Amino acid sequence: MTQLKMTVNGKAASGEVEGRTLLVQFLRENLGMTGTHVGCDTSQCGACVVHVNGEAVKSCTMLAVEANGAEVATIEGQAAPDGTLNTIQQAFQDHHGLQCGFCTPGMVMSAAALLKDNPKPTVDDVRHYLDGNICRCTGYHNIVKAIMAASGQDVSAIAAE
Amino acid sequence: MYNFDVEMPTSIADAVKALGREEAQPMSGGQTLIPTLKARLAAPSVLVSLHSIPEMKGVCKNDAGDICIGGATTHATVAAEAVDYPALASLAARIGDPAVRNRGTIGGSVANNDPSACYPAGVLGSGATIVTNNREIAADDYFLGMFETALEEGEIVTEVKFPIPEVAHYEKHLQPASRFPLVAVFVAKFADGVRVAITGASENGVFRWTEAENALSGNFSASALDGLSLSGDKMISDLHGSGKYRAHLCGVMAKRAVAAAS
């Protein structure tokens, strides 16, 4: 077993893990932070996307020990401490960017990574960036619309087809 | 996954030492290896992570004008920083998806030599040199077959050196579920000739299409490939496409690559 220390959503977190423990297992099972989801477990679906040192990664395809000492950001850290949704989360709610909600944590974290690098993306940029995030409700139109709205762009012309 | 110890060396020397342990396995970005471990297709006792070795990261230019990319450099970094070799940066920018590109590395891709991976086409098509902890290997001598390379046990890819061609292009016919190419062609035109490398097609992994290279070296235009074709006999045949279909795609992708490069 290895003793890990990392910062998760700005707070110190620690725990003991095996070599094979995945980052998502550490978050969910050791820290009890079940907001990060495991959809496919084969790095296809993106429900498990978190940020490690500011970069979006699939936490089901990274060992927990590799995040030792890292700054990790998860969906739990997106809203304000009083529960006020952040811009991206609020846009998902306003534009019906979620149906069952299972993919949403990964979608929001991927959207945050995109908007950090590309604050005013085109619709094509958004769709391309979400290559690795699958919504099995197939709610992509409104997800894309929500992310465009979160970037502060006019989405009135983006219809839900 | 079966359990294993993890070593996190911070230098190439320490990584090589760690790989001397019994049943040790190097891991770079882990974007292929972790799924493989989950499927219990590999069961190392010790996993040696190559992700924390600063001397294996980064993109630079050497005195010969080659682009040198550290083995543990992620696809995202290559996409952003290999600005002197746009065709290579573009190849890196189209691997997998953004989260995979933030972890996966050139060294891992080249060491694994998946028959449908993108980098082997870029490396072979550029006539790059694979640098390991104890030697340099020309791309032509490196890729030996599906998942087979010239690497010895415990040998790791520390750097890949790319000569920069006059023009080049990577044309990828995407298999959208896996985001690997169904077939992809890397074409590079140098002062002394043209190289054409194809991935995703052959049962023996990445290969050079020498007939196309000869035709293009005399006349670098898509029409130079008219009438040339590959046999589907030794091509990968699966639910996504027959060997014959892949052989046909090789010609189509090669023409598109040349048209886009010239």
Side-chain angles (χ1 to χ4, degrees), chain A residues 14-151:
Chain A
S14 60
E16 227 177 33
V17 297
E18 291 183 318
R20 63 180 163 182
T21 304
L22 299 166
L23 177 57
V24 72
Q25 280 177 292
F26 178 71
L27 293 170
R28 290 176 59 88
E29 295 167 23
N30 289 60
L31 304 183
M33 297 172 70
T34 54
T36 302
H37 290 170
V38 180
C40 65
D41 201 28
T42 55
S43 54
Q44 309 284 321
C45 81
C48 67
V49 169
V50 301
H51 299 180
V52 175
N53 294 328
E55 291 183 331
V57 302
K58 291 185 168 173
S59 60
C60 83
T61 309
M62 178 171 176
L63 300 176
V65 293
E66 294 182 289
N68 197 14
E71 300 261 349
V72 177
T74 72
I75 189 68
E76 285 92 343
Q78 298 301 294
D82 69 357
T84 307
L85 300 180
N86 77 3
T87 309
I88 296 170
Q89 292 172 308
Q90 189 60 53
F92 269 68
Q93 188 180 76
D94 293 345
H95 296 279
H96 193 45
L98 61 158
Q99 291 173 44
C100 84
F102 195 86
C103 71
T104 311
M107 289 289 179
V108 169
M109 296 311 287
S110 283
L114 166 67
L115 296 180
K116 183 166 68 90
D117 291 343
N118 185 359
K120 297 285 176 203
T122 64
V123 168
D124 278 354
D125 290 342
V126 175
R127 289 187 182 275
H128 187 61
Y129 197 87
L130 295 180
D131 272 349
N133 290 82
I134 293 173
C135 166
R136 251 344 21 155
C137 305
T138 70
Y140 297 105
H141 283 298
N142 284 347
I143 291 169
V144 172
K145 194 173 179 181
I147 296 170
M148 291 299 285
S151 73

Side-chain angles (χ1 to χ4, degrees), chain B residues 125-205:
Chain B
S126 304
T129 302
I130 290 92
V131 183
T132 76
N133 48 302
N134 56 27
R135 60 183 167 146
E136 297 198 353
I137 310 167
D140 286 327
D141 302 323
Y142 176 83
F143 297 103
L144 302 182
M146 187 181 278
F147 296 113
E148 282 185 38
T149 70
L151 292 176
E152 305 280 351
E153 198 72 27
E155 191 173 16
I156 53 179
V157 176
T158 56
E159 186 180 83
V160 185
K161 292 194 292 193
F162 293 86
I164 301 177
E166 292 171 359
V167 291
H169 186 77
Y170 180 60
E171 188 71 24
K172 175 176 174 180
H173 188 82
L174 187 73
Q175 202 287 82
S178 70
R179 312 212 63 76
F180 276 81
L182 188 63
V183 168
V185 177
F186 195 96
V187 170
K189 179 176 182 287
F190 292 90
D192 59 352
V194 175
R195 294 176 70 101
V196 178
I198 301 181
T199 187
S202 170
E203 287 176 352
N204 290 320

Side-chain angles (χ1 to χ4, degrees), chain B residues 193-196 208-220 224-225 228:
Chain B
V194 175
R195 294 176 70 101
V196 178
R208 284 174 68 186
W209 188 8
T210 45
E211 276 180 304
E213 291 180 352
N214 294 337
L216 291 167
S217 292
N219 169 21
F220 193 72
L225 299 175
L228 294 186

